[in-house]
mmCIF file of all heavy atoms in Angstrom:
data_model
loop_
_atom_site.group_PDB
_atom_site.id
_atom_site.type_symbol
_atom_site.label_atom_id
_atom_site.label_comp_id
_atom_site.label_asym_id
_atom_site.label_seq_id
_atom_site.Cartn_x
_atom_site.Cartn_y
_atom_site.Cartn_z
ATOM 1 N N TYR Z 1052 32.955 -64.674 34.731
ATOM 2 C CA TYR Z 1052 32.909 -64.279 36.142
ATOM 3 C C TYR Z 1052 32.862 -65.516 37.044
ATOM 4 O O TYR Z 1052 33.450 -65.562 38.100
ATOM 5 C CB TYR Z 1052 31.695 -63.412 36.457
ATOM 6 C CG TYR Z 1052 31.630 -62.071 35.779
ATOM 7 C CD1 TYR Z 1052 30.460 -61.298 35.803
ATOM 8 C CD2 TYR Z 1052 32.739 -61.538 35.103
ATOM 9 C CE1 TYR Z 1052 30.380 -60.055 35.208
ATOM 10 C CE2 TYR Z 1052 32.661 -60.291 34.492
ATOM 11 C CZ TYR Z 1052 31.479 -59.559 34.541
ATOM 12 O OH TYR Z 1052 31.405 -58.328 33.945
ATOM 13 N N LEU Z 1053 32.083 -66.503 36.583
ATOM 14 C CA LEU Z 1053 31.936 -67.733 37.385
ATOM 15 C C LEU Z 1053 33.225 -68.540 37.412
ATOM 16 O O LEU Z 1053 33.589 -69.115 38.443
ATOM 17 C CB LEU Z 1053 30.764 -68.576 36.862
ATOM 18 C CG LEU Z 1053 29.381 -67.949 37.054
ATOM 19 C CD1 LEU Z 1053 28.309 -68.796 36.367
ATOM 20 C CD2 LEU Z 1053 29.050 -67.780 38.542
ATOM 21 N N GLU Z 1054 33.917 -68.545 36.274
ATOM 22 C CA GLU Z 1054 35.211 -69.249 36.223
ATOM 23 C C GLU Z 1054 36.171 -68.632 37.225
ATOM 24 O O GLU Z 1054 36.828 -69.296 38.019
ATOM 25 C CB GLU Z 1054 35.799 -69.165 34.814
ATOM 26 C CG GLU Z 1054 37.169 -69.841 34.707
ATOM 27 C CD GLU Z 1054 37.871 -69.648 33.362
ATOM 28 O OE1 GLU Z 1054 37.551 -68.664 32.656
ATOM 29 O OE2 GLU Z 1054 38.728 -70.477 33.040
ATOM 30 N N ARG Z 1055 36.192 -67.298 37.207
ATOM 31 C CA ARG Z 1055 37.062 -66.574 38.120
ATOM 32 C C ARG Z 1055 36.648 -66.862 39.567
ATOM 33 O O ARG Z 1055 37.494 -67.077 40.439
ATOM 34 C CB ARG Z 1055 36.952 -65.081 37.823
ATOM 35 C CG ARG Z 1055 37.684 -64.258 38.847
ATOM 36 C CD ARG Z 1055 37.389 -62.770 38.732
ATOM 37 N NE ARG Z 1055 37.725 -62.165 40.022
ATOM 38 C CZ ARG Z 1055 38.183 -60.947 40.157
ATOM 39 N NH1 ARG Z 1055 38.341 -60.170 39.111
ATOM 40 N NH2 ARG Z 1055 38.455 -60.469 41.366
ATOM 41 N N PHE Z 1056 35.353 -66.876 39.819
ATOM 42 C CA PHE Z 1056 34.881 -67.127 41.185
ATOM 43 C C PHE Z 1056 35.390 -68.468 41.702
ATOM 44 O O PHE Z 1056 35.892 -68.564 42.823
ATOM 45 C CB PHE Z 1056 33.337 -67.085 41.236
ATOM 46 C CG PHE Z 1056 32.783 -67.588 42.533
ATOM 47 C CD1 PHE Z 1056 32.760 -66.752 43.653
ATOM 48 C CD2 PHE Z 1056 32.343 -68.907 42.679
ATOM 49 C CE1 PHE Z 1056 32.280 -67.216 44.887
ATOM 50 C CE2 PHE Z 1056 31.896 -69.384 43.908
ATOM 51 C CZ PHE Z 1056 31.849 -68.530 44.996
ATOM 52 N N ALA Z 1057 35.242 -69.496 40.890
ATOM 53 C CA ALA Z 1057 35.634 -70.837 41.326
ATOM 54 C C ALA Z 1057 37.153 -70.888 41.587
ATOM 55 O O ALA Z 1057 37.595 -71.427 42.614
ATOM 56 C CB ALA Z 1057 35.262 -71.873 40.246
ATOM 57 N N ALA Z 1058 37.922 -70.303 40.682
ATOM 58 C CA ALA Z 1058 39.396 -70.342 40.824
ATOM 59 C C ALA Z 1058 39.805 -69.528 42.060
ATOM 60 O O ALA Z 1058 40.690 -69.932 42.825
ATOM 61 C CB ALA Z 1058 40.032 -69.805 39.574
ATOM 62 N N ASP Z 1059 39.171 -68.368 42.237
ATOM 63 C CA ASP Z 1059 39.530 -67.522 43.394
ATOM 64 C C ASP Z 1059 39.144 -68.194 44.708
ATOM 65 O O ASP Z 1059 39.864 -68.116 45.691
ATOM 66 C CB ASP Z 1059 38.823 -66.160 43.293
ATOM 67 C CG ASP Z 1059 39.478 -65.248 42.256
ATOM 68 O OD1 ASP Z 1059 40.473 -65.661 41.666
ATOM 69 O OD2 ASP Z 1059 38.958 -64.124 42.068
ATOM 70 N N TYR Z 1060 38.003 -68.858 44.690
ATOM 71 C CA TYR Z 1060 37.536 -69.541 45.910
ATOM 72 C C TYR Z 1060 38.581 -70.575 46.335
ATOM 73 O O TYR Z 1060 38.964 -70.647 47.503
ATOM 74 C CB TYR Z 1060 36.189 -70.223 45.656
ATOM 75 C CG TYR Z 1060 35.683 -70.986 46.865
ATOM 76 C CD1 TYR Z 1060 34.913 -70.333 47.834
ATOM 77 C CD2 TYR Z 1060 36.022 -72.333 47.058
ATOM 78 C CE1 TYR Z 1060 34.485 -71.015 48.962
ATOM 79 C CE2 TYR Z 1060 35.608 -73.021 48.188
ATOM 80 C CZ TYR Z 1060 34.839 -72.356 49.145
ATOM 81 O OH TYR Z 1060 34.434 -73.048 50.273
ATOM 82 N N GLU Z 1061 39.041 -71.310 45.363
ATOM 83 C CA GLU Z 1061 40.007 -72.353 45.634
ATOM 84 C C GLU Z 1061 41.317 -71.770 46.197
ATOM 85 O O GLU Z 1061 41.843 -72.212 47.213
ATOM 86 C CB GLU Z 1061 40.310 -73.125 44.328
ATOM 87 C CG GLU Z 1061 41.194 -74.338 44.505
ATOM 88 C CD GLU Z 1061 41.722 -74.878 43.181
ATOM 89 O OE1 GLU Z 1061 41.969 -74.068 42.267
ATOM 90 O OE2 GLU Z 1061 41.899 -76.095 43.086
ATOM 91 N N ARG Z 1062 41.795 -70.707 45.535
ATOM 92 C CA ARG Z 1062 43.064 -70.115 45.949
ATOM 93 C C ARG Z 1062 42.935 -69.419 47.309
ATOM 94 O O ARG Z 1062 43.743 -69.611 48.205
ATOM 95 C CB ARG Z 1062 43.548 -69.111 44.898
ATOM 96 C CG ARG Z 1062 44.958 -68.571 45.160
ATOM 97 C CD ARG Z 1062 45.357 -67.480 44.174
ATOM 98 N NE ARG Z 1062 44.492 -66.297 44.285
ATOM 99 C CZ ARG Z 1062 43.470 -66.030 43.512
ATOM 100 N NH1 ARG Z 1062 43.175 -66.832 42.509
ATOM 101 N NH2 ARG Z 1062 42.710 -64.977 43.705
ATOM 102 N N GLU Z 1063 41.885 -68.606 47.457
ATOM 103 C CA GLU Z 1063 41.739 -67.826 48.686
ATOM 104 C C GLU Z 1063 41.476 -68.694 49.910
ATOM 105 O O GLU Z 1063 41.721 -68.277 51.030
ATOM 106 C CB GLU Z 1063 40.606 -66.794 48.510
ATOM 107 C CG GLU Z 1063 41.049 -65.628 47.651
ATOM 108 C CD GLU Z 1063 39.886 -64.828 47.092
ATOM 109 O OE1 GLU Z 1063 38.732 -65.108 47.461
ATOM 110 O OE2 GLU Z 1063 40.149 -63.925 46.262
ATOM 111 N N ASN Z 1064 40.973 -69.900 49.688
ATOM 112 C CA ASN Z 1064 40.721 -70.784 50.829
ATOM 113 C C ASN Z 1064 41.802 -71.848 51.019
ATOM 114 O O ASN Z 1064 41.620 -72.817 51.732
ATOM 115 C CB ASN Z 1064 39.341 -71.459 50.658
ATOM 116 C CG ASN Z 1064 38.229 -70.425 50.853
ATOM 117 O OD1 ASN Z 1064 37.948 -70.006 51.957
ATOM 118 N ND2 ASN Z 1064 37.634 -69.978 49.763
ATOM 119 N N GLY Z 1065 42.922 -71.605 50.382
ATOM 120 C CA GLY Z 1065 44.063 -72.508 50.546
ATOM 121 C C GLY Z 1065 43.795 -73.917 50.055
ATOM 122 O O GLY Z 1065 44.347 -74.882 50.553
ATOM 123 N N LEU Z 1066 42.925 -74.039 49.065
ATOM 124 C CA LEU Z 1066 42.576 -75.376 48.557
ATOM 125 C C LEU Z 1066 43.370 -75.790 47.326
ATOM 126 O O LEU Z 1066 43.208 -76.893 46.819
ATOM 127 C CB LEU Z 1066 41.081 -75.426 48.239
ATOM 128 C CG LEU Z 1066 40.142 -75.101 49.411
ATOM 129 C CD1 LEU Z 1066 38.716 -74.923 48.918
ATOM 130 C CD2 LEU Z 1066 40.218 -76.218 50.461
ATOM 131 N N MET Z 1067 44.216 -74.867 46.846
ATOM 132 C CA MET Z 1067 45.032 -75.216 45.684
ATOM 133 C C MET Z 1067 46.012 -76.304 46.080
ATOM 134 O O MET Z 1067 46.696 -76.171 47.086
ATOM 135 C CB MET Z 1067 45.811 -74.010 45.176
ATOM 136 C CG MET Z 1067 45.018 -73.106 44.274
ATOM 137 S SD MET Z 1067 45.938 -71.617 43.859
ATOM 138 C CE MET Z 1067 46.891 -72.174 42.454
ATOM 139 N N LYS Z 1068 46.062 -77.350 45.322
ATOM 140 C CA LYS Z 1068 47.004 -78.400 45.700
ATOM 141 C C LYS Z 1068 47.594 -79.046 44.452
ATOM 142 O O LYS Z 1068 47.113 -78.860 43.343
ATOM 143 C CB LYS Z 1068 46.325 -79.432 46.580
ATOM 144 C CG LYS Z 1068 45.012 -79.949 46.036
ATOM 145 C CD LYS Z 1068 44.420 -80.970 46.986
ATOM 146 C CE LYS Z 1068 43.126 -81.547 46.415
ATOM 147 N NZ LYS Z 1068 41.924 -80.866 46.887
ATOM 148 N N VAL Z 1069 48.688 -79.770 44.699
ATOM 149 C CA VAL Z 1069 49.344 -80.462 43.620
ATOM 150 C C VAL Z 1069 48.379 -81.484 43.026
ATOM 151 O O VAL Z 1069 47.783 -82.266 43.760
ATOM 152 C CB VAL Z 1069 50.622 -81.159 44.159
ATOM 153 C CG1 VAL Z 1069 51.241 -82.064 43.107
ATOM 154 C CG2 VAL Z 1069 51.614 -80.115 44.639
ATOM 155 N N PRO Z 1070 48.165 -81.448 41.716
ATOM 156 C CA PRO Z 1070 47.236 -82.401 41.115
ATOM 157 C C PRO Z 1070 47.800 -83.834 41.143
ATOM 158 O O PRO Z 1070 48.962 -84.039 41.456
ATOM 159 C CB PRO Z 1070 47.099 -81.911 39.687
ATOM 160 C CG PRO Z 1070 48.367 -81.175 39.412
ATOM 161 C CD PRO Z 1070 48.808 -80.614 40.711
ATOM 162 N N GLN Z 1071 46.938 -84.742 40.782
ATOM 163 C CA GLN Z 1071 47.397 -86.126 40.696
ATOM 164 C C GLN Z 1071 48.445 -86.226 39.586
ATOM 165 O O GLN Z 1071 48.244 -85.760 38.487
ATOM 166 C CB GLN Z 1071 46.201 -87.026 40.370
ATOM 167 C CG GLN Z 1071 46.367 -88.360 41.026
ATOM 168 C CD GLN Z 1071 45.153 -89.238 40.825
ATOM 169 O OE1 GLN Z 1071 44.194 -88.894 40.137
ATOM 170 N NE2 GLN Z 1071 45.193 -90.384 41.430
ATOM 171 N N MET Z 1072 49.583 -86.839 39.937
ATOM 172 C CA MET Z 1072 50.682 -86.886 38.969
ATOM 173 C C MET Z 1072 51.034 -88.333 38.642
ATOM 174 O O MET Z 1072 51.022 -89.203 39.507
ATOM 175 C CB MET Z 1072 51.935 -86.214 39.547
ATOM 176 C CG MET Z 1072 51.649 -84.880 40.201
ATOM 177 S SD MET Z 1072 52.544 -83.490 39.563
ATOM 178 C CE MET Z 1072 54.175 -84.066 39.309
ATOM 179 N N ALA Z 1073 51.407 -88.551 37.381
ATOM 180 C CA ALA Z 1073 51.930 -89.872 36.986
ATOM 181 C C ALA Z 1073 53.290 -90.044 37.646
ATOM 182 O O ALA Z 1073 53.960 -89.067 37.939
ATOM 183 C CB ALA Z 1073 52.047 -89.932 35.475
ATOM 184 N N PRO Z 1074 53.719 -91.308 37.892
ATOM 185 C CA PRO Z 1074 55.037 -91.488 38.489
ATOM 186 C C PRO Z 1074 56.126 -90.872 37.597
ATOM 187 O O PRO Z 1074 55.992 -90.853 36.373
ATOM 188 C CB PRO Z 1074 55.198 -93.010 38.549
ATOM 189 C CG PRO Z 1074 53.933 -93.614 38.111
ATOM 190 C CD PRO Z 1074 53.033 -92.555 37.607
ATOM 191 N N ALA Z 1075 57.174 -90.349 38.231
ATOM 192 C CA ALA Z 1075 58.251 -89.696 37.471
ATOM 193 C C ALA Z 1075 58.854 -90.670 36.485
ATOM 194 O O ALA Z 1075 59.123 -91.825 36.812
ATOM 195 C CB ALA Z 1075 59.316 -89.191 38.423
ATOM 196 N N ASN Z 1076 59.014 -90.241 35.234
ATOM 197 C CA ASN Z 1076 59.603 -91.118 34.217
ATOM 198 C C ASN Z 1076 61.065 -90.790 33.933
ATOM 199 O O ASN Z 1076 61.716 -91.445 33.139
ATOM 200 C CB ASN Z 1076 58.770 -91.128 32.925
ATOM 201 C CG ASN Z 1076 58.696 -89.749 32.284
ATOM 202 O OD1 ASN Z 1076 59.543 -88.884 32.542
ATOM 203 N ND2 ASN Z 1076 57.681 -89.530 31.461
ATOM 204 N N GLY Z 1077 61.560 -89.705 34.570
ATOM 205 C CA GLY Z 1077 62.982 -89.358 34.430
ATOM 206 C C GLY Z 1077 63.358 -88.766 33.083
ATOM 207 O O GLY Z 1077 64.528 -88.483 32.847
ATOM 208 N N ILE Z 1078 62.383 -88.519 32.227
ATOM 209 C CA ILE Z 1078 62.690 -87.947 30.905
ATOM 210 C C ILE Z 1078 62.670 -86.420 31.005
ATOM 211 O O ILE Z 1078 61.685 -85.837 31.459
ATOM 212 C CB ILE Z 1078 61.692 -88.446 29.835
ATOM 213 C CG1 ILE Z 1078 61.725 -89.983 29.777
ATOM 214 C CG2 ILE Z 1078 62.012 -87.824 28.474
ATOM 215 C CD1 ILE Z 1078 60.622 -90.565 28.898
ATOM 216 N N LYS Z 1079 63.784 -85.803 30.562
ATOM 217 C CA LYS Z 1079 63.896 -84.347 30.659
ATOM 218 C C LYS Z 1079 63.307 -83.647 29.441
ATOM 219 O O LYS Z 1079 63.613 -84.006 28.303
ATOM 220 C CB LYS Z 1079 65.360 -83.942 30.784
ATOM 221 C CG LYS Z 1079 65.959 -84.238 32.147
ATOM 222 C CD LYS Z 1079 67.468 -83.986 32.150
ATOM 223 C CE LYS Z 1079 67.772 -82.491 32.195
ATOM 224 N NZ LYS Z 1079 69.221 -82.259 32.308
ATOM 225 N N ILE Z 1080 62.469 -82.664 29.706
ATOM 226 C CA ILE Z 1080 62.010 -81.834 28.589
ATOM 227 C C ILE Z 1080 62.165 -80.373 28.983
ATOM 228 O O ILE Z 1080 62.172 -80.025 30.170
ATOM 229 C CB ILE Z 1080 60.538 -82.144 28.155
ATOM 230 C CG1 ILE Z 1080 59.533 -81.701 29.232
ATOM 231 C CG2 ILE Z 1080 60.324 -83.613 27.827
ATOM 232 C CD1 ILE Z 1080 58.779 -80.479 28.820
ATOM 233 N N ALA Z 1081 62.328 -79.525 27.959
ATOM 234 C CA ALA Z 1081 62.576 -78.100 28.225
ATOM 235 C C ALA Z 1081 61.415 -77.270 27.673
ATOM 236 O O ALA Z 1081 60.830 -77.603 26.633
ATOM 237 C CB ALA Z 1081 63.857 -77.669 27.552
ATOM 238 N N VAL Z 1082 61.064 -76.215 28.395
ATOM 239 C CA VAL Z 1082 60.054 -75.281 27.943
ATOM 240 C C VAL Z 1082 60.749 -73.917 27.845
ATOM 241 O O VAL Z 1082 61.407 -73.485 28.789
ATOM 242 C CB VAL Z 1082 58.864 -75.229 28.928
ATOM 243 C CG1 VAL Z 1082 57.938 -74.057 28.561
ATOM 244 C CG2 VAL Z 1082 58.111 -76.552 28.893
ATOM 245 N N VAL Z 1083 60.605 -73.272 26.689
ATOM 246 C CA VAL Z 1083 61.275 -72.003 26.465
ATOM 247 C C VAL Z 1083 60.258 -70.876 26.552
ATOM 248 O O VAL Z 1083 59.371 -70.762 25.708
ATOM 249 C CB VAL Z 1083 61.957 -72.003 25.085
ATOM 250 C CG1 VAL Z 1083 62.702 -70.672 24.869
ATOM 251 C CG2 VAL Z 1083 62.871 -73.181 24.941
#
Side-chain angles (χ1 to χ4, degrees):
Chain Z
Y1052 295 169
L1053 292 174
E1054 178 186 23
R1055 173 190 160 148
F1056 169 81
D1059 284 359
Y1060 178 88
E1061 187 193 33
R1062 187 186 63 262
E1063 284 162 6
N1064 290 287
L1066 301 169
M1067 277 174 85
K1068 50 180 182 266
V1069 172
Q1071 214 175 4
M1072 314 237 317
N1076 62 21
I1078 302 171
K1079 285 173 75 175
I1080 69 107
V1082 170
V1083 182

